[in-house]
Protein backbone atom coordinates (compact mmCIF):
# COMPACT_ATOMS: atom_id res chain seq x y z
CA UNK A 1 0.00 0.00 0.00
CA UNK A 2 1.84 3.07 -1.27
CA UNK A 3 -0.14 5.52 0.87
CA UNK A 4 0.83 3.74 4.11
CA UNK A 5 3.69 6.23 4.54
CA UNK A 6 1.14 9.07 4.60
CA UNK A 7 -0.87 7.34 7.34
CA UNK A 8 2.35 6.81 9.29
CA UNK A 9 3.07 10.56 9.46
CA UNK A 10 -0.55 11.77 9.49
CA UNK A 11 -2.36 9.11 11.56
CA UNK A 12 -5.59 11.11 11.92
CA UNK A 13 -6.49 11.07 8.20
CA UNK A 14 -9.87 9.53 7.36
CA UNK A 15 -10.49 6.43 5.28
CA UNK A 16 -11.69 8.67 2.44
CA UNK A 17 -8.47 10.72 2.55
CA UNK A 18 -6.38 7.54 2.60
CA UNK A 19 -8.30 6.28 -0.44
CA UNK A 20 -7.65 9.60 -2.24
CA UNK A 21 -3.93 9.39 -1.46
CA UNK A 22 -3.97 5.79 -2.76
CA UNK A 23 -5.42 7.00 -6.06
CA UNK A 24 -2.59 9.47 -6.66
CA UNK A 25 -0.09 6.92 -7.93
CA UNK A 26 -2.27 5.35 -10.66
CA UNK A 27 -3.59 8.78 -11.66
CA UNK A 28 -0.15 10.36 -12.04
CA UNK A 29 1.29 7.24 -13.69
CA UNK A 30 -1.48 7.42 -16.29
CA UNK A 31 -1.10 11.17 -16.89
CA UNK A 32 2.68 10.79 -17.04
CA UNK A 33 2.32 8.53 -20.06
CA UNK A 34 0.64 11.40 -21.92
CA UNK A 35 2.30 14.46 -20.43
CA UNK A 36 5.68 14.16 -18.74
CA UNK A 37 5.02 15.80 -15.37
CA UNK A 38 7.35 13.73 -13.19
CA UNK A 39 10.60 12.30 -14.49
CA UNK A 40 10.17 8.69 -15.62
CA UNK A 41 12.69 7.38 -13.12
CA UNK A 42 11.06 9.28 -10.25
CA UNK A 43 7.43 8.24 -10.73
CA UNK A 44 7.93 5.19 -8.48
CA UNK A 45 8.97 7.59 -5.72
CA UNK A 46 5.82 9.68 -6.11
CA UNK A 47 4.56 9.15 -2.55
CA UNK A 48 7.84 10.04 -0.84
CA UNK A 49 9.40 12.62 -3.17
CA UNK A 50 6.25 14.49 -4.18
CA UNK A 51 3.23 13.71 -2.00
CA UNK A 52 4.84 13.43 1.44
CA UNK A 53 7.22 16.26 0.58
CA UNK A 54 4.21 18.48 -0.22
CA UNK A 55 2.51 17.48 3.03
CA UNK A 56 5.58 18.53 5.04
CA UNK A 57 4.02 22.02 5.19
CA UNK A 58 1.28 20.53 7.40
CA UNK A 59 3.87 19.56 10.02
CA UNK A 60 4.40 23.27 10.71
CA UNK A 61 0.94 24.76 10.24
CA UNK A 62 -2.62 23.51 10.61
CA UNK A 63 -4.62 25.54 8.09
CA UNK A 64 -7.97 26.67 9.50
CA UNK A 65 -11.21 26.03 7.56
CA UNK A 66 -11.88 28.75 4.98
CA UNK A 67 -8.21 29.64 4.52
CA UNK A 68 -7.28 30.70 0.98
CA UNK A 69 -4.00 29.26 -0.35
CA UNK A 70 -2.25 30.15 -3.62
CA UNK A 71 0.11 27.48 -5.02
CA UNK A 72 2.41 29.20 -7.52
CA UNK A 73 4.28 27.15 -10.15
CA UNK A 74 2.32 24.09 -9.07
CA UNK A 75 3.59 21.91 -11.93
CA UNK A 76 1.48 18.76 -11.78
CA UNK A 77 -0.18 19.87 -8.55
CA UNK A 78 2.50 19.96 -5.85
CA UNK A 79 2.19 20.93 -3.08
CA UNK A 80 -1.44 21.94 -3.75
CA UNK A 81 -3.16 18.60 -4.51
CA UNK A 82 -1.83 16.62 -1.50
CA UNK A 83 -2.57 19.59 0.80
CA UNK A 84 -6.09 19.88 -0.64
CA UNK A 85 -6.72 16.23 0.25
CA UNK A 86 -5.41 16.79 3.78
CA UNK A 87 -7.36 20.04 4.28
CA UNK A 88 -10.75 19.56 2.57
CA UNK A 89 -12.18 22.74 4.15
CA UNK A 90 -9.37 24.96 2.85
CA UNK A 91 -9.48 26.54 -0.63
CA UNK A 92 -6.51 25.97 -2.92
CA UNK A 93 -5.87 28.00 -6.07
CA UNK A 94 -3.17 26.31 -8.18
CA UNK A 95 -1.47 28.34 -10.90
CA UNK A 96 1.17 27.47 -13.49
CA UNK A 97 2.34 29.20 -16.67
CA UNK A 98 2.42 25.87 -18.57
CA UNK A 99 -1.04 24.91 -19.82
CA UNK A 100 -0.51 21.15 -20.10
CA UNK A 101 0.51 20.98 -16.43
CA UNK A 102 -2.73 22.69 -15.42
CA UNK A 103 -4.60 20.16 -17.56
CA UNK A 104 -3.08 17.41 -15.39
CA UNK A 105 -4.01 19.26 -12.19
CA UNK A 106 -7.61 19.63 -13.36
CA UNK A 107 -7.78 15.96 -14.38
CA UNK A 108 -6.39 14.71 -11.06
CA UNK A 109 -8.58 17.03 -8.96
CA UNK A 110 -11.67 15.93 -10.88
CA UNK A 111 -10.83 12.22 -10.57
CA UNK A 112 -10.39 12.63 -6.80
CA UNK A 113 -13.57 14.69 -6.43
CA UNK A 114 -11.70 17.63 -4.90
CA UNK A 115 -14.14 20.53 -4.69
CA UNK A 116 -11.61 22.80 -2.96
CA UNK A 117 -9.15 23.04 -5.89
CA UNK A 118 -9.19 25.69 -8.60
CA UNK A 119 -6.53 25.57 -11.32
CA UNK A 120 -5.46 28.46 -13.54
CA UNK A 121 -3.14 28.58 -16.53
CA UNK A 122 -1.22 31.83 -16.15
CA UNK A 123 1.12 33.82 -13.93
CA UNK A 124 0.74 34.53 -10.23
CA UNK A 125 0.45 38.27 -10.94
CA UNK A 126 -2.70 37.67 -13.01
CA UNK A 127 -4.62 35.76 -10.32
CA UNK A 128 -7.42 37.69 -8.64
CA UNK A 129 -8.09 37.60 -4.91
CA UNK A 130 -6.24 37.63 -1.62
CA UNK A 131 -4.65 34.65 0.08
CA UNK A 132 -3.48 33.95 3.62
CA UNK A 133 -0.53 31.94 2.32
CA UNK A 134 1.37 31.47 -0.92
CA UNK A 135 2.96 28.01 -1.16
CA UNK A 136 5.55 26.73 -3.62
CA UNK A 137 7.96 23.86 -4.13
CA UNK A 138 11.39 24.60 -5.62
CA UNK A 139 10.01 27.22 -8.02
CA UNK A 140 12.61 30.00 -8.04
CA UNK A 141 14.75 32.19 -5.81
CA UNK A 142 12.95 33.98 -3.00
CA UNK A 143 13.87 37.52 -4.05
CA UNK A 144 12.00 37.62 -7.38
CA UNK A 145 9.32 35.24 -6.12
CA UNK A 146 8.35 37.48 -3.20
CA UNK A 147 8.07 40.42 -5.60
CA UNK A 148 5.57 38.53 -7.77
CA UNK A 149 3.26 37.46 -4.95
CA UNK A 150 3.49 39.90 -2.04
CA UNK A 151 0.47 41.89 -3.25
CA UNK A 152 -1.64 38.72 -3.19
CA UNK A 153 -1.17 38.10 0.53
CA UNK A 154 -3.95 39.16 2.92
CA UNK A 155 -3.06 41.25 5.97
CA UNK A 156 -5.76 39.49 8.01
CA UNK A 157 -3.62 36.95 9.89
CA UNK A 158 -5.29 34.34 12.13
CA UNK A 159 -2.90 31.35 12.18
CA UNK A 160 -0.02 30.56 14.52
CA UNK A 161 2.28 31.47 11.64
CA UNK A 162 1.82 34.95 10.22
CA UNK A 163 0.42 35.21 6.68
CA UNK A 164 3.09 35.03 3.97
CA UNK A 165 5.14 32.56 1.93
CA UNK A 166 5.67 28.87 2.70
CA UNK A 167 8.35 27.61 0.30
CA UNK A 168 9.68 24.05 0.16
CA UNK A 169 13.34 24.11 -0.81
CA UNK A 170 16.42 21.88 -0.77
CA UNK A 171 20.17 22.17 -0.50
CA UNK A 172 22.29 25.06 0.77
CA UNK A 173 20.14 28.20 0.97
CA UNK A 174 22.70 30.53 2.54
CA UNK A 175 23.42 32.60 -0.58
CA UNK A 176 19.76 32.76 -1.62
CA UNK A 177 18.59 33.88 1.83
CA UNK A 178 21.38 36.46 2.02
CA UNK A 179 20.32 37.86 -1.37
CA UNK A 180 16.68 37.88 -0.21
CA UNK A 181 17.49 40.02 2.80
CA UNK A 182 14.06 39.88 4.44
CA UNK A 183 13.31 38.33 7.82
CA UNK A 184 12.44 34.63 7.49
CA UNK A 185 12.41 31.35 9.39
CA UNK A 186 13.85 28.06 8.12
CA UNK A 187 12.41 24.73 9.30
CA UNK A 188 14.42 21.53 8.72
CA UNK A 189 12.21 18.70 7.45
CA UNK A 190 14.66 16.07 8.73
CA UNK A 191 13.34 16.84 12.23
CA UNK A 192 9.86 15.66 11.19
CA UNK A 193 10.69 12.85 8.72
CA UNK A 194 13.23 10.05 9.14
CA UNK A 195 13.78 9.20 5.44
CA UNK A 196 17.14 10.20 3.90
CA UNK A 197 15.31 12.14 1.19
CA UNK A 198 14.44 14.85 3.75
CA UNK A 199 18.00 15.30 5.03
CA UNK A 200 18.63 18.50 3.03
CA UNK A 201 14.99 19.58 2.63
CA UNK A 202 13.67 22.74 4.27
CA UNK A 203 10.55 24.88 4.59
CA UNK A 204 11.10 28.63 4.48
CA UNK A 205 8.45 30.86 6.03
CA UNK A 206 8.46 34.54 5.08
CA UNK A 207 5.92 36.67 6.94
CA UNK A 208 4.36 39.53 5.01
Amino acid sequence: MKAAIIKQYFPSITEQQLAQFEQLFPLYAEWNEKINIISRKDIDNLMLHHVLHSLAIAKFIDFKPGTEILDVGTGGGFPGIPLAILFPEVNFHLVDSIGKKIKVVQGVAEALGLKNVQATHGRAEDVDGEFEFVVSRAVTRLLPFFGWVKNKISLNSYHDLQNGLLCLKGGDLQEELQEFGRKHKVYHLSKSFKEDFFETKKLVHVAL
Side-chain angles (χ1 to χ4, degrees):
M1 188 164 87
K2 287 183 180 289
I5 195 167
I6 310 298
K7 185 84 173 168
Q8 181 187 328
Y9 283 108
F10 297 94
S12 59
I13 62 171
T14 65
E15 286 303 311
Q16 184 191 355
Q17 287 170 313
L18 185 62
Q20 287 173 316
F21 283 123
E22 281 287 349
Q23 281 180 265
L24 288 177
F25 181 77
L27 280 170
Y28 277 105
E30 186 184 339
W31 273 107
N32 227 39
E33 290 298 318
K34 300 178 235 176
I35 298 168
N36 196 13
I37 286 290
I38 293 158
S39 78
R40 299 270 189 248
K41 63 180 189 293
D42 206 29
I43 190 76
D44 287 338
N45 296 314
L46 179 83
M47 279 297 156
L48 179 64
H49 292 183
H50 301 277
V51 180
L52 194 60
H53 188 209
S54 297
L55 294 174
I57 289 172
K59 286 290 184 187
F60 304 96
I61 184 166
D62 186 13
F63 294 124
K64 296 184 182 343
T67 302
E68 299 285 340
I69 310 277
L70 179 64
D71 175 3
V72 176
T74 188
F78 302 102
I81 294 269
L83 289 171
I85 296 173
L86 195 65
F87 295 103
E89 295 178 346
V90 172
N91 300 313
F92 291 86
H93 195 134
L94 280 54
V95 62
D96 202 283
S97 60
I98 299 172
K100 64 182 181 180
K101 292 186 176 179
I102 287 300
K103 190 178 167 188
V104 175
V105 171
Q106 289 167 332
V108 170
E110 198 176 313
L112 294 173
L114 295 176
K115 305 278 186 253
N116 58 336
V117 170
Q118 186 180 352
T120 300
H121 171 214
R123 300 181 314 159
E125 301 96 308
D126 304 327
V127 174
D128 291 331
E130 280 200 333
F131 303 86
E132 277 73 50
F133 293 95
V134 174
V135 298
S136 78
R137 196 174 74 119
V139 170
T140 189
R141 293 172 81 87
L142 281 165
L143 186 61
F145 189 73
F146 187 71
W148 300 341
V149 300
K150 63 184 178 187
N151 295 334
K152 303 292 174 195
I153 300 167
S154 163
L155 295 171
N156 177 27
S157 204
Y158 52 84
H159 287 83
D160 293 339
L161 290 184
Q162 201 179 326
N163 290 5
L165 303 188
L166 291 165
C167 298
L168 290 163
K169 289 184 168 285
D172 184 357
L173 300 178
Q174 197 176 344
E175 186 198 330
E176 181 179 345
L177 292 172
Q178 221 169 345
E179 172 196 61
F180 182 51
R182 279 184 70 100
K183 193 176 169 189
H184 58 271
K185 175 136 193 207
V186 177
Y187 299 92
H188 294 266
L189 303 192
S190 57
K191 291 182 178 173
S192 300
F193 301 95
K194 65 179 192 301
E195 287 78 12
D196 291 345
F197 171 76
F198 293 102
E199 196 55 46
T200 61
K201 300 287 188 282
K202 302 169 186 81
L203 176 67
V204 181
H205 172 233
V206 180
L208 187 61

